Structures are given as structure tokens and as C-alpha cells.
Amino acid sequence: MSMVDITGKTTTYREAQAEGIIRLKPDTVRKIIEGRIEKGDVFTVSRIAAINAVKKTPDLIPLCHNIPITHVNVDFDVIGNDRIMVRVTVKTSAKTGVEMEALAGVSTALLNIWDMVKKYEKDEQGQYPDTLIEYIRVVYKKKHD
């Protein structure tokens, strides 16, 4: 087991975007939009969590290269009344891509949203019957010499 040897590769511009969705109760989504979540501004905290995760990806994924991140963008879209989509775009000039960083950012943002709203999502038994993270995927990756 070892990291892939990228020594001979040239440094190039690379970009990747990943996305994922969290399903929540409509009332929870309404509270997020209206800024009525007790823990604070869900979108701001989740954006910071995503950026931190992008920067910490090599600490989370053992064989992932530590590369210089030159830009991270995090977007949120409310879909219908019960879903929030997170998109993370990561840019670098490096010898390897940033797909894992984008995926780590999306996953962490979605987990952070869940953490911040879990109080509102629990049922009478303390379970999460309406809460679901889904469709985490790489939307695209680019490489320019």
C-alpha cells in the first residue's frame, strides 16, 4: 500500500465540483431559511466546515496527496420544501486532481447541516425518519495544461 507516485507529472490547473443533497422536514428547511436554527446560521457554518474539510482531505483520506488549494467555492440551493443541495468547487495548480477534496467538502457540509438541525429532525423516539443524505457525486473535473 502506498501513495501513487506523481513525481513525473507536470503541474497543471485542475478543478473539480461535487454535489450532494440532504432531505429534511419542510419545517426544518423553513427554519434554516428564516435563520431560526438555535445553533446559528446553517449556511455560513456549513460553508466554513466544507472549506476546512477541503483543506484537511489528506488527513481524512490516508493515501490522498497534500496539494495546494487555490480556491474553494461552496453553494447551497433549496430544492422544493424539503431538500438542500450543496455544491463545492475546488481549484488548484498541482500534479493531481481535486475530486477527493470536493467530495470531502460536500460530505462535511451535509454532515454539518445534519448536526445543526438534528434537534428539529428527531421524532418522538429520537430517530431521524425524514433525514437523509443522498446523491453525493463528482459533477465534473477539469485539467488544463
Side-chain angles (χ1 to χ4, degrees):
M1 179 177 357
S2 65
M3 292 176 77
V4 173
D5 186 354
I6 60 172
T7 305
K9 293 177 84 175
T10 58
T11 298
T12 59
Y13 171 81
R14 296 164 186 270
E15 179 179 324
Q17 183 179 88
E19 69 183 15
I21 292 173
I22 186 166
R23 289 182 182 265
L24 302 166
K25 294 177 182 175
D27 188 54
T28 303
V29 173
R30 194 169 28 259
K31 282 181 172 71
I32 292 170
I33 292 167
E34 294 172 357
R36 296 188 294 123
I37 300 299
E38 182 179 342
K39 286 188 172 186
D41 183 334
V42 171
F43 294 135
T44 298
V45 177
S46 297
R47 179 172 283 113
I48 293 167
I51 293 167
N52 280 340
V54 167
K55 296 188 308 185
K56 295 285 191 178
T57 299
D59 295 334
L60 302 170
I61 311 296
L63 301 179
C64 194
H65 291 88
N66 187 358
I67 58 177
I69 303 301
T70 59
H71 182 72
V72 180
N73 188 63
V74 183
D75 289 314
F76 302 93
D77 290 315
V78 177
I79 302 171
N81 66 352
D82 65 347
R83 290 170 288 156
I84 297 173
M85 177 179 281
V86 178
R87 277 190 203 87
V88 175
T89 306
V90 182
K91 297 178 182 180
T92 188
S93 290
K95 295 181 177 190
T96 189
V98 285
E99 301 94 319
M100 296 310 297
E101 287 78 1
L103 288 165
V106 164
S107 300
T108 301
L110 292 166
L111 290 170
N112 188 79
I113 291 170
W114 191 318
D115 176 63
M116 291 187 73
V117 303
K118 63 187 176 193
K119 168 183 178 177
Y120 311 102
E121 288 293 296
K122 291 180 187 176
D123 67 10
E124 299 79 31
Q125 290 78 41
Q127 303 301 311
Y128 302 98
D130 301 306
T131 315
L132 175 69
I133 291 174
E134 57 189 354
Y135 303 118
I136 297 173
R137 67 186 187 104
V138 174
V139 177
Y140 70 81
K141 65 179 203 165
K142 295 179 184 177
K143 175 182 170 186
H144 301 288
D145 293 328

